[in-house]
Amino acid sequence: MAEQTLTDISELLNQEKWTRATLNSYTVKNFEELDSILERVINDGRQEEVLTECEEHLQHTKNSIIALYISGILQISRQAVNDTNLVALINIFVDNHKWNIVAYLANRILDFGENKAALRTLADCYNNENQLDKMYEIWERLIRVDFDEADIVRRLAERKEEQSEIEDAVEYYKKALHRYINKKSFNNLREVWHKLINYAPDETEFFYHAESKIAKSISPERASQLLEELFPHFKNNQRWDTAVELLKRILHYDPKNPFARKEIIECYRAKYEHHSHLEEYIKLSNLNQSWRNVHDAITDFEKHISFDAGNFVYHRAWGVGIIRSIDDDAVLIDFARKRGHSMSLKMAVSSLDILEKDHLWVLKSIWKKEKLRKKVKGDVVWALRTVIRSCGNAADIKRIKAELVPSILTPNEWTAWSAKARNELKTNPEFGNLNDKLDHYMVREQPITFEEKTFNKFKAEKGFFDRVKTLDEFMDYLEDSGIEGTDTQYFREMFDYFVGFLRSIVTVNEYTVSSLLLVRRIVARYPYLHPGDVSMDFLPLYEQISDLEDVFRNIENTELRKEFLQNLRRNVSDWADRYVQLFPYALTREIIYELERAGHTDKLQELFHRLHSNYRDQRESYIWLIRNCYQDKWFRDMGVPFEKVLISMIHLLDITYRDIDNKRDTTYNRKLNRQIHNFLFKDRHVANYLAEAEQASITRIYTLVSDVKDLDPSIRIELKQLILDRFPGFKFYGEQETETVSRGFITTPRSFENKQRQLQYIQEVEVPENSKEISKALALGDLKENAEYKAAKERQDFLNSTAARLKEELETAEVMRPDEVKTDTVSFGTRVHLKNNRTGEQETYTILGPWESNPDEQVISYLSPLGSKLYNRVSGDHLQFEINERKYDYVVERIEAAGF
């Protein structure tokens, strides 16, 4: 069947070649028949052979319709951005005005995804056939994939305008404006600018953003010109604040602009027409004198004009006050703690800050505290707006807290309130981030969209990989929102940032490689975004990398690292060697899995031996490999003795302890130390090995463990006990036996385990809980009066001292088992029967340690005063002694082993 398909295609190509069928004989049905043949080719898996035959045929018959069509469909079906043959075929039929075939071919291309050339062709078809509604529908699709198209966007806007759909028209005009800016087509963008002035003049944030782009890409003079044309709307509507802002922006580009300088004075006169000293302050600031720097003049004027009767001011020593009067050069102010204070105007301007009537400090002065507290708690948005504006329209969470706690909210109230506030700052379009300080918030004049907020964040990011993360978040937003396409100027600017790294390659580094991987990922999802002047091939770029390890190590994004490894696997012949080389910089199971799946167990074994021979310097990689792979089949097949693994891990445990003590990469070594500790002791690999190993191996492993200086002594004791359980007469290297029991700290196995659990509970439960308590207390502020903080710190001191004492006791403790008790003398673990010669009664005492002592049950410690007197006595001994001025007279009658 497959061979017949190849034969059929060869015959079709030959028939067309020799009969030279005319274009007029072709119909849509002919292409539908070719589609049936293509379906057979794909089902048979013979695409490559057919494609090769068609390409060869085109070398000598370049206008072969069959070869162009079949090869074109096969190429585009592989998601390759290569529509050359189909576009050439479309042009043939366009030249012959076969519009039905042209439409069919365009739609076939679109079956595989949006395509600029196909959409443009299809729109032309509908235009030629006077199907205008369909043409506009195709145009709407076209502008979502062709970011350079501006004229069609404008025509769509004009159509919406004609249909009185003004809101949609404005959105299209905005899009057209940005595209004309990119094309540097000033005349067109100016016409669109005027359309937007007519329909959406109050969207100043949009105009400001566009103005800054115009100044950068065209010229500051053009930006200034457009602002002058926007200005009359606000002047005519007496929107003086916005009018002044526009004039300031014009003067930023051209400080000597006579129009702006004249108009700003007029705006100030209109805005402050009721101010008693208006003209005096204009004159004083020299605002109307061309020789004075305009920005300095504006600053002086605005500072002076703020001083008027009824306005609020702030002094760093006297707090908030209100201006009662200004008489010539004298300003009379009522401060809460200094009423009727008079100072010169010059002194007032230099020492006082003007506060708006809705400034938080003013509200604190004129509202009752409970009223303000209730308002802040009940209206989070109002409170945020008030605080942020009071801070000069720029505040971070720390500053917001400082303004509210404890003067309005208590620390506990802040905890709940701040959670709501953070959510509002993140989601409420009224709030935005400063471009140069992402953790600072501002109040927006117009609501901000998520796209714009993301774009602002992208621009403010300093690091390349921070920008990668921001773009990924935006892509996730598109997917989660179900938004088809990337029809937003903000997205295109972010995308173009990474494309720029591929357009000007000097040295291939982590930024170049990451840009290629990111752009490839986006183009795979949106093929129409393919930048035609940039190669998307991985191998040529890879071959230019001079230091593979350095480039890979510096790729900070996990997904991009993963994609880099996948591309290595697909494109590089010696990928297995490169995987081994890069493993220390990508501790991931995927590398192990791919090598194992491809049968490269030799490479895995090479990786182990390479890391083991240098485990001190490659400690993190070696530890990861042991922890994650020691039970894998390829690892077991190496036949590496587990003792060898344990020895290297114990050595690394000691090394990391020493590095921590020496303050060398402390955080890094603590992490590794914890991982090794868990592997060796928590996961019981050492204990399990000692439970089965021969005595010679046990000696080696235990000696290494006992030499680890900072290891918890309880672990050594537990391992020692385990060894003694197997080999009661085991000789521990470096330890000497004594004939008599030491008067050191002796305890029972049960007590020892209980104390171990107590220490573990303190370290793993109580200490972390206490740390959380301290953190919460710190958040309350004002440590001097913070009872919660003091209590938490006292608790911390208690826990630390208890843990230290327990560790020391466990280190010095000697565990005695029941079968080790000797009854020839009174000693640990014995029960002694005494005759009290003073009373004639029988007394019995069990001799144990301080941890087991319970005098009410006649269990005494061998370290207690009475236990010490009885210790080492034998049956028949007559004892007379005095303790705390009390005399004792005993005869030892019998000694026996006590059960414990």
Side-chain angles (χ1 to χ4, degrees):
M1 182 68 180
E3 295 300 328
Q4 183 60 47
T5 302
L6 292 174
T7 302
D8 291 345
I9 290 174
S10 296
E11 289 178 358
L12 282 172
L13 291 172
N14 288 328
Q15 289 171 7
E16 181 191 42
K17 176 181 177 182
W18 291 108
T19 61
R20 298 189 184 281
T22 62
L23 289 174
N24 290 332
S25 66
Y26 272 88
T27 65
V28 169
K29 185 176 180 181
N30 294 123
F31 289 100
E32 290 174 343
E33 291 171 354
L34 290 176
D35 284 335
S36 299
I37 296 173
L38 275 166
E39 185 176 355
R40 284 159 43 200
V41 170
I42 293 170
N43 291 337
D44 294 339
R46 309 300 287 269
Q47 297 97 311
E48 291 300 325
E49 297 166 74
V50 171
L51 185 58
T52 300
E53 184 170 355
C54 289
E55 293 292 348
E56 290 175 354
H57 186 76
L58 287 169
Q59 288 180 7
H60 51 77
T61 311
K62 66 177 183 179
N63 288 333
S64 168
I65 294 170
I66 294 173
L68 286 171
Y69 185 72
I70 291 177
S71 63
I73 293 296
L74 289 176
Q75 286 172 337
I76 204 167
S77 67
R78 295 187 304 184
Q79 295 299 313
V81 187
N82 184 359
D83 55 6
T84 307
N85 288 348
L86 287 175
V87 171
L89 186 59
I90 285 175
N91 290 334
I92 290 172
F93 286 100
V94 167
D95 292 341
N96 287 271
H97 306 289
K98 300 277 286 185
W99 299 115
N100 59 333
I101 293 179
V102 171
Y104 181 84
L105 294 174
N107 278 311
R108 283 294 284 133
I109 294 175
L110 295 172
D111 287 341
F112 299 96
E114 298 291 65
N115 180 284
K116 290 184 277 189
L119 288 168
R120 198 175 293 278
T121 298
L122 195 56
D124 291 341
C125 287
Y126 290 139
N127 185 36
N128 287 318
E129 295 173 359
N130 203 31
Q131 298 184 50
L132 298 184
D133 287 341
K134 288 187 176 181
M135 181 191 73
Y136 283 119
E137 289 177 8
I138 297 300
W139 275 359
E140 289 179 353
R141 290 169 61 183
L142 174 62
I143 65 170
R144 286 198 290 268
V145 300
D146 188 349
F147 291 98
D148 296 324
E149 179 55 61
D151 293 335
I152 289 178
V153 179
R154 182 176 177 180
R155 289 180 65 180
L156 286 169
E158 291 167 348
R159 184 168 187 258
K160 292 295 184 182
E161 187 180 3
E162 291 167 2
Q163 295 173 337
S164 298
E165 298 178 17
I166 303 304
E167 188 173 336
D168 290 340
V170 166
E171 291 306 311
Y172 281 120
Y173 277 129
K174 286 181 181 179
K175 202 180 304 293
L177 182 74
H178 278 296
R179 296 186 181 194
Y180 282 131
I181 293 172
N182 293 338
K183 295 166 79 73
K184 300 183 180 180
S185 177
F186 180 74
N187 290 334
N188 283 315
L189 80 84
R190 185 184 180 198
E191 290 172 3
V192 174
W193 181 276
H194 280 276
K195 285 286 187 180
L196 290 169
I197 290 176
N198 186 40
Y199 290 122
D202 294 332
E203 295 196 28
T204 53
E205 294 290 343
F206 169 82
F207 284 112
Y208 294 158
H209 177 62
E211 158 241 313
S212 62
K213 285 184 64 179
I214 292 165
K216 188 179 297 184
S217 62
I218 301 178
S219 74
E221 292 76 20
R222 293 300 194 186
S224 178
Q225 177 184 344
L226 294 174
L227 290 176
E228 287 186 26
E229 293 167 3
L230 176 61
F231 168 75
H233 167 79
F234 295 98
K235 180 181 180 181
N236 295 337
N237 287 278
Q238 299 183 6
R239 301 269 297 278
W240 304 120
D241 288 335
T242 307
V244 167
E245 175 61 24
L246 282 168
L247 293 168
K248 287 180 180 179
R249 297 177 85 93
I250 294 170
L251 290 166
H252 168 74
Y253 295 121
D254 181 11
K256 295 186 178 301
N257 186 301
F259 165 81
R261 191 148 190 166
K262 174 179 174 296
E263 289 293 338
I264 202 167
I265 295 173
E266 295 306 314
C267 287
Y268 280 142
R269 284 195 168 112
K271 179 180 179 180
Y272 299 109
E273 60 180 336
H274 300 298
H275 196 288
S276 56
H277 296 75
L278 172 62
E279 293 303 325
E280 179 184 349
Y281 292 158
I282 291 176
K283 182 178 179 181
L284 189 63
S285 65
N286 291 308
L287 188 58
N288 53 3
Q289 300 297 319
S290 59
W291 56 265
R292 179 80 196 277
N293 178 287
V294 69
H295 303 297
D296 293 342
I298 289 172
T299 301
D300 282 354
F301 173 78
E302 291 186 345
K303 184 76 172 177
H304 282 82
I305 202 69
S306 301
F307 286 87
D308 199 12
N311 287 354
F312 290 92
V313 294
Y314 175 80
H315 188 275
R316 61 183 180 180
W318 305 322
V320 176
I322 186 170
I323 299 174
R324 286 304 176 196
S325 65
I326 299 179
D327 185 11
D328 292 331
D329 189 43
V331 181
L332 188 65
I333 307 168
D334 282 342
F335 293 102
R337 288 170 287 175
K338 197 175 182 69
R339 295 189 175 275
H341 181 73
S342 178
M343 62 172 63
S344 68
L345 179 61
K346 184 177 180 180
M347 177 62 72
V349 168
S350 64
S351 63
L352 300 178
D353 293 320
I354 294 294
L355 304 180
E356 297 293 335
K357 290 180 171 59
D358 58 355
H359 194 287
L360 183 65
W361 296 352
V362 173
L363 298 180
K364 287 181 181 180
S365 300
I366 63 177
W367 284 17
K368 291 184 177 179
K369 181 176 179 179
E370 186 56 34
K371 175 184 176 181
L372 186 55
R373 176 177 167 275
K374 185 176 180 180
K375 179 65 174 176
V376 168
K377 289 185 66 177
D379 193 340
V380 175
V381 174
W382 174 88
L384 285 171
R385 190 188 306 121
T386 300
V387 174
I388 293 172
R389 283 178 172 163
S390 298
C391 298
N393 205 24
D396 59 4
I397 289 293
K398 185 178 180 180
R399 177 68 187 277
I400 294 171
K401 180 180 181 181
E403 294 294 338
L404 296 177
V405 179
S407 59
I408 299 174
L409 299 177
T410 65
N412 288 337
E413 289 173 333
W414 163 259
T415 302
W417 187 92
S418 63
K420 298 177 184 176
R422 291 175 194 273
N423 184 59
E424 290 291 347
L425 291 170
K426 182 178 179 181
T427 60
N428 193 319
E430 186 175 345
F431 302 106
N433 301 87
L434 295 188
N435 290 340
D436 56 342
K437 293 182 180 178
L438 289 177
D439 59 342
H440 282 62
Y441 301 94
M442 60 180 292
V443 181
R444 301 268 304 194
E445 289 188 20
Q446 281 96 33
I448 185 172
T449 63
F450 177 83
E451 291 91 335
E452 188 177 353
K453 186 174 285 192
T454 303
F455 179 64
N456 289 341
K457 179 182 178 183
F458 183 88
K459 288 193 300 181
E461 297 285 12
K462 305 301 182 190
F464 175 92
F465 291 102
D466 292 328
R467 291 188 169 188
V468 170
K469 182 180 178 182
T470 301
L471 182 58
D472 281 341
E473 290 173 354
F474 185 78
M475 297 289 288
D476 291 340
Y477 162 77
L478 292 179
E479 185 173 351
D480 295 342
S481 304
I483 297 174
E484 291 294 332
T486 52
D487 183 26
T488 160
Q489 184 64 32
Y490 299 121
F491 172 81
R492 184 53 188 257
E493 290 190 31
M494 290 187 283
F495 178 72
D496 284 346
Y497 169 81
F498 297 104
V499 173
F501 282 91
L502 304 178
R503 287 200 173 109
S504 55
I505 298 176
V506 177
T507 302
V508 176
N509 55 27
E510 62 272 17
Y511 305 132
T512 318
V513 172
S514 298
S515 293
L516 176 71
L517 297 172
L518 183 61
V519 170
R520 279 166 60 102
R521 186 201 305 167
I522 294 171
V523 168
R525 182 174 174 183
Y526 305 110
Y528 53 82
L529 287 175
H530 189 292
D533 59 338
V534 169
S535 171
M536 292 284 100
D537 292 336
F538 176 81
L539 189 56
L541 198 70
Y542 167 79
E543 291 172 342
Q544 297 178 57
I545 297 175
S546 58
D547 188 337
L548 179 62
E549 292 180 24
D550 186 63
V551 168
F552 185 77
R553 181 174 57 247
N554 290 325
I555 297 176
E556 298 175 12
N557 184 278
T558 304
E559 283 302 311
L560 291 178
R561 281 191 172 198
K562 185 176 179 180
E563 290 174 26
F564 184 89
L565 292 171
Q566 292 169 348
N567 277 278
L568 271 182
R569 175 77 170 85
R570 288 193 294 264
N571 296 284
V572 180
S573 59
D574 63 344
W575 67 270
D577 291 318
R578 302 290 74 78
Y579 268 34
V580 172
Q581 180 185 358
L582 296 178
F583 176 78
Y585 312 106
L587 304 179
T588 169
R589 192 74 193 180
E590 281 76 9
I591 287 183
I592 306 298
Y593 171 75
E594 286 295 333
L595 289 170
E596 191 172 17
R597 190 169 69 90
H600 287 297
T601 53
D602 58 326
K603 298 298 180 185
L604 289 168
Q605 293 172 5
E606 176 192 335
L607 174 63
F608 169 77
H609 291 300
R610 178 185 293 185
L611 293 177
H612 184 269
S613 64
N614 194 28
Y615 64 74
R616 182 180 187 126
D617 294 329
Q618 298 276 7
R619 62 187 69 176
E620 184 175 17
S621 306
Y622 182 73
I623 293 166
W624 188 97
L625 193 70
I626 297 302
R627 292 175 65 231
N628 291 277
C629 302
Y630 80 98
Q631 290 183 322
D632 288 2
K633 183 178 182 303
W634 67 267
F635 194 99
R636 297 197 307 271
D637 289 347
M638 283 193 299
V640 175
F642 196 58
E643 181 182 347
K644 181 178 181 180
V645 172
L646 289 179
I647 288 173
S648 61
M649 293 291 274
I650 295 168
H651 187 207
L652 280 174
L653 182 70
D654 188 46
I655 290 171
T656 53
Y657 270 130
R658 293 176 188 276
D659 284 347
I660 292 168
D661 286 343
N662 293 326
K663 303 294 189 292
R664 186 182 296 120
D665 295 329
T666 306
T667 302
Y668 169 73
N669 280 298
R670 282 189 191 281
K671 180 186 76 170
L672 299 185
N673 182 276
R674 188 164 52 251
Q675 292 173 357
I676 303 169
H677 194 283
N678 289 341
F679 177 82
L680 292 174
F681 305 117
K682 187 174 182 180
D683 299 338
R684 299 193 61 77
H685 285 110
V686 170
N688 293 338
Y689 180 78
L690 295 180
E692 298 178 358
E694 299 295 329
Q695 289 196 45
S697 296
I698 290 175
T699 299
R700 286 191 291 271
I701 295 299
Y702 181 78
T703 301
L704 284 172
V705 170
S706 62
D707 285 343
V708 178
K709 175 172 171 278
D710 294 319
L711 186 65
D712 186 339
S714 64
I715 292 175
R716 293 194 197 94
I717 295 171
E718 180 186 354
L719 295 178
K720 184 176 180 181
Q721 191 64 45
L722 186 152
I723 295 168
L724 288 172
D725 286 341
R726 287 191 65 202
F727 304 106
F730 188 88
K731 306 295 183 185
F732 292 96
Y733 177 78
E735 295 184 8
Q736 297 180 351
E737 284 194 330
T738 56
E739 294 297 327
T740 59
V741 175
S742 167
R743 293 291 298 272
F745 194 170
I746 309 174
T747 187
T748 66
R750 179 180 297 176
S751 294
F752 187 83
E753 291 172 3
N754 288 339
K755 292 298 181 181
Q756 278 185 310
R757 284 193 290 270
Q758 182 183 351
L759 177 60
Q760 182 180 9
Y761 183 79
I762 290 173
Q763 292 174 329
E764 297 181 3
V765 178
E766 293 190 286
V767 168
E769 287 179 354
N770 176 249
S771 297
K772 291 180 182 177
E773 291 172 359
I774 291 174
S775 297
K776 290 181 181 178
L778 283 170
L780 303 180
D782 193 10
L783 299 186
K784 292 182 180 179
E785 302 297 329
N786 194 329
E788 291 89 345
Y789 177 74
K790 291 179 180 178
K793 288 296 289 182
E794 288 173 1
R795 175 69 173 163
Q796 183 186 57
D797 292 340
F798 169 76
L799 291 173
N800 288 340
S801 62
T802 302
R805 176 176 54 79
L806 282 172
K807 288 181 71 174
E808 183 179 356
E809 290 176 348
L810 285 167
E811 186 172 2
T812 59
E814 180 179 344
V815 178
M816 180 171 286
R817 296 173 299 161
D819 59 0
E820 294 178 319
V821 174
K822 296 179 180 180
T823 59
D824 52 347
T825 64
V826 177
S827 59
F828 184 96
T830 61
R831 182 177 294 110
V832 57
H833 297 270
L834 305 172
K835 179 182 178 182
N836 189 329
N837 291 330
R838 296 179 68 84
T839 64
E841 296 178 356
Q842 298 292 323
E843 296 181 16
T844 301
Y845 295 98
T846 298
I847 309 299
L848 293 175
W851 285 347
E852 297 83 20
S853 177
N854 185 357
D856 293 339
E857 299 293 332
Q858 302 301 106
V859 178
I860 63 174
S861 168
Y862 71 93
L863 296 176
S864 67
L866 179 58
S868 179
K869 295 293 184 182
L870 298 175
Y871 207 80
N872 279 338
R873 299 295 182 171
V874 298
S875 294
D877 278 357
H878 183 197
L879 313 177
Q880 290 181 322
F881 51 87
E882 184 176 313
I883 299 175
N884 295 331
E885 299 181 352
R886 178 183 173 184
K887 295 181 179 180
Y888 294 84
D889 188 346
Y890 286 128
V891 173
V892 179
E893 294 189 332
R894 188 170 83 254
I895 304 170
E896 62 185 12
F900 59 85

